[in-house]
Amino acid sequence: MRFFDTHTHLYYVQQVTQESLAQLVQNAEQAGVEKMLIAAVLQQDFKNIVNMTALFPNQLYYGLGLHPLYIEQHSQNDLALLQQALEQRSSACTAIAEIGLERGKAELISEELWKKQCEFLEVQLSFAQKFDLPVNLHSRQSHDQLFTFLKRAKLNKVGVVHGFAGSYEQAKRFVDLGYKIGVGGTITYERANKTRNTIAKLPLDSLLLETDSPDMPVFGFQGQPNRSERIVHVFHELCQLRKEPAELIAETIWENSCNLFAK
């Protein structure tokens, strides 16, 4: 079976584990993870990510974007540099990532910072439209607000709501707009009933697999940096939640992922 980790921060995995990029890619491949999408967080990540993907053009793709968790650090100049990097992007750049909204931290939803989050999201969605790229979206406690932005943006290539943890009704609204739902380590925890039930009910062709490594650990590996090869644990749990044969689940999600993030 072939897997595509559609959301990883591989440069941070490398920093945390001190393993070579070649070793990390090999570890993933040995588990069947043939492709990975590296999502940016900060403007200063961009160059490193571009250089990493150039070393493994068959396995690695990348997305550039400014993460809402770091909205206090982002500047207007970062948006200009993002646009410049997108204009100069290589063929390995297949997404605007990671962008979105963050309402899980009280300090980030002050009137000033919430306005800034919304402005940065709107600009980055306009970049997605301009450069004809899909988006890889962060959404924590902000599904309803994010939906409003996406409905208004009417992107040509839509994208994925990554690390989804919400209700079936919220997920279905995104799916009805054409967006995929990112399935990660959350479903490996039995207590995550709402998310598990949601993922069990959504159309199979609306799902992608991801790790968010080194974050979002799977059950049994808490306290350890997450890795792309652990997407296999997410897949096995997904198979327990779904009625389709494992082979069909794997192949459908592989095709979903490649159609969206591999050119």
Side-chain angles (χ1 to χ4, degrees):
M1 293 182 183
R2 301 175 292 177
F3 300 107
F4 192 144
D5 185 354
T6 60
H7 197 109
T8 174
H9 302 284
L10 200 56
Y11 47 102
Y12 289 147
V13 179
Q14 194 175 13
Q15 289 175 17
V16 171
T17 66
Q18 293 296 299
E19 293 178 50
S20 69
L21 179 61
Q23 186 64 58
L24 292 172
V25 171
Q26 183 181 9
N27 291 346
E29 285 190 315
Q30 287 174 345
V33 183
E34 296 184 8
K35 296 182 183 294
M36 293 175 266
L37 178 79
I38 306 174
V41 169
L42 298 161
Q43 180 272 323
Q44 51 261 45
D45 298 334
F46 295 173
K47 188 173 182 180
N48 188 22
I49 290 172
V50 172
N51 292 339
M52 288 173 75
T53 55
L55 296 172
F56 294 91
N58 295 323
Q59 295 94 345
L60 302 181
Y61 300 85
Y62 69 91
L64 300 179
L66 302 170
H67 196 301
L69 265 175
Y70 304 94
I71 194 65
E72 292 172 287
Q73 298 177 42
H74 301 325
S75 67
Q76 290 297 320
N77 189 53
D78 290 335
L79 284 174
L81 291 171
L82 171 58
Q83 180 170 358
Q84 184 180 78
L86 291 168
E87 288 168 346
Q88 299 169 355
R89 70 193 184 280
S90 73
S91 60
C93 180
T94 59
I96 307 288
E98 174 178 359
I99 69 173
L101 296 173
E102 169 63 50
R103 294 186 63 84
K105 292 197 170 188
E107 63 270 24
L108 298 186
I109 53 174
S110 65
E111 184 177 352
E112 178 188 0
L113 289 179
W114 177 246
K115 182 181 178 186
K116 187 178 177 184
Q117 279 199 58
C118 293
E119 288 172 349
F120 270 62
L121 174 60
E122 198 144 38
V123 171
Q124 292 180 97
L125 290 174
S126 75
F127 289 165
Q129 191 77 311
K130 177 179 180 179
F131 296 107
D132 201 30
L133 290 169
V135 288
N136 205 310
L137 295 154
H138 175 95
S139 179
R140 185 155 57 174
Q141 298 180 24
S142 61
H143 294 331
D144 296 338
Q145 293 87 346
L146 179 63
F147 175 81
T148 300
F149 276 94
L150 299 181
K151 187 176 181 181
R152 186 167 63 234
K154 297 179 181 176
L155 299 184
N156 292 332
K157 289 206 171 168
V158 293
V160 59
V161 181
H162 123 81
F164 185 83
S167 70
Y168 173 77
E169 291 72 23
Q170 288 172 319
K172 189 65 166 54
R173 291 174 81 197
F174 289 125
V175 170
D176 288 345
L177 274 185
Y179 286 81
K180 306 298 185 187
I181 299 297
V183 183
T186 301
I187 69 162
T188 65
Y189 294 84
E190 288 190 4
R191 68 177 183 270
N193 288 323
K194 181 170 69 173
T195 303
R196 286 163 60 88
N197 291 337
T198 295
I199 299 306
K201 290 164 60 179
L202 288 172
L204 180 59
D205 65 4
S206 70
L207 304 180
L208 303 181
L209 288 172
E210 60 175 54
T211 62
D212 198 22
S213 56
D215 300 321
M216 211 160 69
V218 300
F219 180 76
F221 296 92
Q222 298 95 316
Q224 300 179 33
N226 200 8
R227 298 166 171 271
S228 283
E229 55 265 31
R230 292 189 187 139
I231 208 167
V232 175
H233 296 268
V234 180
F235 171 71
H236 288 155
E237 195 62 37
L238 179 62
C239 290
Q240 297 298 310
L241 297 175
R242 306 285 308 189
K243 296 177 181 178
E244 302 92 346
E247 293 78 8
L248 177 61
I249 295 173
E251 196 56 31
T252 301
I253 291 179
W254 170 262
E255 290 177 7
N256 292 344
S257 306
C258 290
N259 288 341
L260 195 59
F261 292 129
K263 290 186 177 178

